[in-house]
Amino acid sequence: MIVVMRRDAKEQDIEHMIEQVQSLGLKPHVLRGTERTVIAAIGDERAAASVGVLESGPGVDEVLPVLAPYKLASVETKSEKTVIRVGSLTIGNGRLGVIAGPCSVESEEQIVSTARAIKASGATALRGGAFKPRTSPYSFQGLKEKGLQMLAIAREETGLAVVTEVVAAEDIELVAEYADVLQIGARNMQNYRLLEAVGRSPCPVLLKRGPSATVDELLLAAEYILDGGNQQVMLCERGIRTFEAHTRFTLPLATVPYLQGKTHLPIVVDPSHGTGHTPLVPAMCRAAIAAGADGLILEVHPNPEKALSDGYQSLTFAQFEETMKGCRRVADAMDVKI
Ligand code: PEP
Ligand code: MN
């Protein structure tokens, strides 16, 4: 349930209500909006004969149940959209983030030249995997710390914020030393210990949907991170597994308006993994923006034919430039800024 404080509630009222929530065996999460403060009381609400105790507290406007199974991610708890700002990347509430770069970091030259090219075309952050979760153990696994160092060089050269994947809890500290955003990949969406661990990190998180996870499962996965204390979470639709074979995955864009109605967290779309085919990527970028996405994450490579991973879905620099032109036209129509 949530305790909605009155606009004129004093700091000591808020402190008092935090203690009250704790005394009922519930965990308080304080969400300070521009208008008013809300205290989410999370836990076993059977203890919630307690509503009366909370309602009569000083500075309390009302106590409301949260019906959704995900509590902190729900618009019922926080109606104000979450905006994530980290370095060059601002995403959410009318600001569209474009995160672009290779699937994997392969060399300093590759990542720095890509960073320069995507920045010149208007990207707002750089992606690149240093720890790669590959389907086969014999595929390229990423350059690991060396790859992270190359990403840091690319950031220094261009000022672009770095988004990179972390695949294991024991790597979080290392990856967070170099990354501006920690990516949790599709394969790890339900790795709950990893979600709890990034929940304890101060670094924003991009959480990708598992290929066979429902949207509610995605929201509950985000809930693990939020409940851990990290409020800076973006959700990413990257396609799901269906019987359809003409694309690598099926990219369900109805997810975007659905999620916009259910959560305050920014929604990112990944048309590269979502389609698995370069020629389909530009149109799906435009469609994602038209559907109301807050951001895109795209694979771009200096020479896709030679890429060590996912070349078949990567854009060349020239294709990215063209894609951005189309994105800007749709963004203008949708009244969002890149
Ligand atoms: C990636 O972004 O390169 C990646 C591995 O994506 P996903 O986790 O969505 O498969
Ligand atoms: Mn990839």
Side-chain angles (χ1 to χ4, degrees):
M1 75 193 117
I2 53 170
V3 181
V4 183
M5 302 303 290
R6 286 204 312 260
R7 273 169 229 272
D8 61 355
K10 298 187 190 69
E11 200 50 44
Q12 71 212 52
D13 299 337
I14 295 169
E15 290 302 323
H16 176 74
M17 292 316 294
I18 291 172
E19 281 166 25
Q20 287 291 79
V21 168
Q22 280 166 335
S23 73
L24 294 168
L26 299 170
K27 184 170 166 188
H29 282 273
V30 182
L31 304 160
R32 292 177 195 272
T34 47
E35 295 278 304
R36 53 172 78 198
T37 295
V38 167
I39 303 166
I42 307 295
D44 185 349
E45 291 186 13
R46 280 171 297 183
S50 45
V51 177
V53 181
L54 295 175
E55 257 170 358
S56 58
V60 173
D61 188 1
E62 53 186 346
V63 177
L64 300 169
V66 178
L67 300 177
Y70 38 89
K71 308 295 177 188
L72 298 170
S74 172
V75 286
E76 295 173 82
T77 299
K78 180 171 179 271
S79 55
E80 223 171 275
K81 290 282 180 195
T82 292
V83 179
I84 295 183
R85 294 184 189 84
V86 54
S88 60
L89 181 67
T90 302
I91 198 159
N93 205 25
R95 291 293 303 270
L96 191 90
V98 179
I99 305 161
C103 179
S104 305
V105 180
E106 298 168 3
S107 68
E108 185 179 323
E109 227 258 280
Q110 175 238 24
I111 195 70
V112 171
S113 64
T114 305
R116 288 213 178 96
I118 59 156
K119 188 179 182 187
S121 301
T124 57
L126 174 67
R127 64 149 288 149
F131 289 87
K132 294 303 300 178
R134 303 304 301 280
T135 303
S136 162
Y138 309 121
S139 301
F140 176 58
Q141 301 288 314
L143 296 179
K144 315 222 163 75
E145 188 166 6
K146 281 204 184 83
L148 295 173
Q149 288 162 351
M150 292 169 190
L151 283 163
I153 293 168
R155 174 177 48 206
E156 220 165 279
E157 296 275 322
T158 58
L160 289 175
V162 164
V163 180
T164 195
E165 181 163 355
V166 60
V167 296
E170 61 266 27
D171 298 335
I172 292 174
E173 222 175 294
L174 173 70
V175 177
E177 260 179 55
Y178 297 93
D180 297 293
V181 175
L182 298 173
Q183 176 176 326
I184 299 292
R187 289 157 189 80
N188 269 320
M189 189 207 87
Q190 283 170 310
N191 181 342
Y192 297 117
R193 296 294 85 80
L194 179 61
L195 300 178
E196 283 170 356
V198 294
R200 292 189 290 271
S201 166
C203 198
V205 175
L206 176 79
L207 175 65
K208 292 186 121 189
R209 176 183 187 179
S212 56
T214 65
V215 169
D216 276 10
E217 285 166 343
L218 171 64
L219 286 161
L220 283 165
E223 193 74 12
Y224 271 87
I225 304 171
L226 299 168
D227 189 48
N230 188 343
Q231 305 303 314
Q232 296 187 281
V233 180
M234 301 167 243
L235 303 175
C236 179
E237 174 56 80
R238 48 78 73 209
I240 53 174
R241 184 144 286 172
T242 69
F243 53 82
E244 187 52 79
H246 77 289
T247 48
R248 183 180 179 194
F249 293 95
T250 295
L251 184 61
L253 287 180
T255 305
V256 177
Y258 177 82
L259 281 172
Q260 293 289 15
K262 297 288 178 190
T263 182
H264 51 87
L265 301 173
I267 316 302
V268 175
V269 173
D270 177 346
S272 303
H273 293 86
T275 64
H277 294 284
T278 303
L280 305 181
V281 171
M284 295 316 282
C285 289
R286 298 192 298 271
I289 299 170
D294 299 298
L296 298 171
I297 181 164
L298 289 174
E299 289 186 339
V300 178
H301 194 283
N303 185 356
E305 273 181 32
K306 292 270 165 64
L308 295 182
S309 59
D310 288 356
Y312 46 80
Q313 64 192 28
S314 299
L315 302 170
T316 61
F317 296 166
Q319 286 167 333
F320 180 66
E321 165 94 38
E322 275 308 297
T323 303
M324 285 300 288
K325 282 185 193 157
C327 288
R328 273 192 283 272
R329 295 181 68 186
V330 181
D332 277 349
M334 293 297 293
D335 229 2
V336 292
K337 283 198 185 66
I338 300 184

